């Protein structure tokens, strides 16, 4: 069995982590022959709950898990880690101004970034799940300057999975038959779910999704709105935010990063923009990426029509404004 991988999960006493930890522990993410050491981080008032989570993990009796460390100290949590699921963040509460949310999250991700910079492996792969995920990932990277910027990503796979599921249901196929859906931009209601380049396998034939759906009005309106507002719809129905689906998406994201994408398929990840598709450099922006040898690269050369251009720019403008507001809260 391979040497244990060290994996940290923050916000480990919370709902998303509760679903995430079992999948990670049993091998769904890093492989069924890859042993693990799990570091679980949460705030001091949550330590009793976190100890309960540790008990449950122990009671799962999973052979891959060699060690579990529960802590409220980022310097302990990030020590020598290979992979980081950054789930913990300050959620927006009723009456909270956006700037207050950004300020609270800057404080959290500054402290965690500094600890990561000091004690994590420089090869650590990081996915930020806690919202506002794109901007939180930028702040984390800012305070961990010794770790390459391309090692910081944020989760938009949940949006991709949602979009894929909507198309699959519309066409009466299973989700694995739908490929190359793209989420552009911010993990927010301005994101752009794009199926212009997506494909679907129907009756043994692979065809473009727009050709299969045959309803441009649906693809430009209801489909986009459904995906954009799916998180709010879950909260309305469940009275709690998405947890199981967010955990599954975080696992998908990290699995593909470590294992790679297949053939000409791509996945959506929030990554640091290099200026591709006219998006400002330095923004944490969701792009279609292909992954090989644990390195992602943005898929180039996709045609962007006028409708898509407008959507790409709108979500970029929101991200730019959000990052500027967050950076204004940084006191280096």
């Amino acid at each position: 069995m391979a040497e244990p991988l060290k994996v940290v999960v923050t916000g480990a006493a919370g709902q998303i982590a509760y679903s995430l930890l079992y999948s990670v522990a049993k091998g769904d993410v890093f492989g069924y022959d890859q042993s693990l050491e799990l570091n679980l981080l949460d705030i001091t008032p949550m330590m009793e709950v976190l100890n309960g989570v540790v008990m449950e993990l122990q009671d799962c009796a999973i052979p891959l898990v060699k060690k579990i460390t529960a802590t409220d100290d980022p310097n302990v949590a990030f020590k020598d880690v290979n992979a980081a699921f950054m789930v913990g963040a300050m959620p927006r509460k009723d009456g909270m101004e956006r700037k207050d949310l950004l300020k609270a999250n800057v404080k959290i991700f500054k402290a965690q970034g500094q600890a990561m910079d000091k004690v994590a492996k420089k090869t650590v792969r990081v996915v930020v799940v806690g919202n506002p995920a794109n901007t939180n990932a930028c702040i984390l990277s800012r305070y961990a300057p010794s770790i390459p910027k391309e090692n910081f990503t944020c989760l938009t796979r949940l949006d991709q999975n949602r979009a894929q599921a909507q198309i699959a249901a519309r066409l009466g196929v299973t989700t694995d038959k739908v490929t190359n859906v793209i989420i552009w931009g911010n993990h927010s209601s301005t994101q752009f779910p794009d199926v212009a380049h997506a494909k679907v396998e129907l009756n043994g034939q692979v065809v473009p999704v727009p050709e299969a759906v045959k309803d441009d009005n649906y693809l430009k309106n209801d489909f986009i709105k459904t995906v954009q507002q799916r998180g709010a719809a879950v909260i309305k129905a469940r009275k709690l935010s998405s947890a199981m689906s967010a955990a599954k998406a975080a696992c998908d994201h990290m699995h593909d990063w470590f294992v790679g994408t297949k053939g000409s398929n791509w996945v959506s990840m929030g990554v640091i923009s290099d200026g591709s598709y006219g998006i400002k450099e330095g923004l944490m922006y969701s792009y279609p990426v292909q992954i090989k040898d644990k390195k992602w690269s943005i898929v180039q050369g996709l045609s962007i029509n006028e409708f898509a251009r407008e959507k790409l720019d709108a979500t970029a403008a929101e991200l730019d404004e959000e990052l500027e507001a967050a950076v204004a809260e940084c006191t280096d």
Side-chain angles (χ1 to χ4, degrees):
M1 195 175 275
E3 184 187 326
L5 263 186
K6 282 197 170 188
V7 180
V8 63
V9 178
T10 74
Q15 275 217 92
I16 294 174
Y18 194 73
S19 288
L20 177 99
L21 283 164
Y22 178 64
S23 287
V24 171
K26 74 186 177 77
D28 291 350
V29 179
F30 301 105
Y32 299 106
D33 58 354
Q34 175 60 64
S35 61
L36 301 165
E37 290 184 13
L38 300 177
N39 289 358
L40 313 184
L41 177 69
D42 217 308
I43 55 175
T44 309
M46 294 302 289
M47 288 311 290
E48 190 179 347
V49 176
L50 187 55
N51 288 333
V53 174
V54 172
M55 286 183 221
E56 284 215 73
L57 274 172
Q58 290 167 337
D59 295 349
C60 287
I62 299 170
L64 290 177
V65 180
K66 301 302 176 193
K67 186 180 175 186
I68 305 169
T69 303
T71 182
D72 57 1
D73 182 351
N75 290 303
V76 173
F78 294 113
K79 180 75 174 152
D80 296 330
V81 291
N82 304 94
F85 291 91
M86 310 299 289
V87 181
M90 171 67 78
R92 190 166 190 165
K93 295 171 183 164
D94 278 347
M96 187 185 260
E97 293 284 327
R98 192 152 141 272
K99 64 177 185 188
D100 297 328
L101 179 71
L102 290 168
K103 193 172 189 171
N105 277 295
V106 162
K107 195 176 170 190
I108 293 166
F109 284 89
K110 175 181 180 178
Q112 293 181 349
Q114 287 169 331
M116 204 178 267
D117 196 54
K118 199 160 52 173
V119 300
K121 288 193 170 160
K122 301 308 174 196
T123 52
V124 64
R125 264 92 183 158
V126 183
V127 56
V128 175
V129 178
N131 286 320
N134 300 59
T135 299
N136 287 344
C138 274
I139 297 301
L140 191 66
S141 168
R142 178 191 178 101
Y143 287 106
S146 67
I147 297 168
K149 287 203 180 302
E150 59 267 24
N151 289 26
F152 293 90
T153 64
C154 80
L155 186 70
T156 55
R157 184 61 170 270
L158 175 53
D159 307 301
Q160 180 196 308
N161 288 350
R162 286 166 169 165
Q164 214 169 319
Q166 290 296 318
I167 295 296
R170 180 94 178 180
L171 295 173
V173 298
T174 51
T175 52
D176 59 324
K177 304 297 185 196
V178 181
T179 54
N180 292 0
V181 172
I182 301 169
I183 303 296
W184 299 98
N186 198 1
H187 174 63
S188 76
S189 59
T190 67
Q191 64 174 264
F192 173 41
D194 180 11
V195 293
H197 308 280
K199 294 183 170 62
V200 59
E201 189 186 317
L202 277 179
N203 309 316
Q205 296 282 100
V206 176
V207 293
V209 163
E211 196 180 296
V213 171
K214 298 185 178 69
D215 189 342
D216 204 39
N217 184 50
Y218 163 74
L219 292 177
K220 285 185 171 177
N221 293 288
D222 285 355
F223 165 69
I224 291 174
K225 281 183 202 143
T226 300
V227 178
Q228 287 175 336
Q229 295 166 13
R230 187 66 164 189
V234 170
I235 290 172
K236 191 177 176 188
R238 211 172 85 89
K239 311 297 181 270
L240 292 163
S241 60
S242 308
M244 190 198 317
S245 55
K248 160 69 164 56
C251 288
D252 291 344
H253 177 115
M254 196 67 88
H255 171 272
D256 288 350
W257 201 352
F258 271 73
V259 174
T261 50
K262 291 175 187 168
S264 60
N265 286 358
W266 59 66
V267 292
S268 295
M269 285 168 67
V271 298
I272 292 283
S273 172
D274 59 358
S276 291
Y277 296 98
I279 302 305
K280 185 176 174 180
E281 282 185 48
L283 290 181
M284 182 69 60
Y285 193 91
S286 183
Y287 283 104
V289 301
Q290 291 177 318
I291 305 161
K292 192 179 177 186
D293 301 328
K294 297 184 189 158
K295 286 185 166 46
W296 55 263
S297 59
I298 296 168
V299 176
Q300 299 294 338
L302 298 175
S303 58
I304 303 293
N305 63 23
E306 202 177 316
F307 175 80
R309 182 75 261 164
E310 199 176 293
K311 299 284 186 193
L312 263 70
D313 290 345
T315 190
E318 181 188 57
L319 272 174
D320 195 20
E321 188 190 317
E322 209 174 83
L323 182 58
E324 212 173 281
V327 168
E329 299 297 339
C330 294
T331 47
D332 292 335

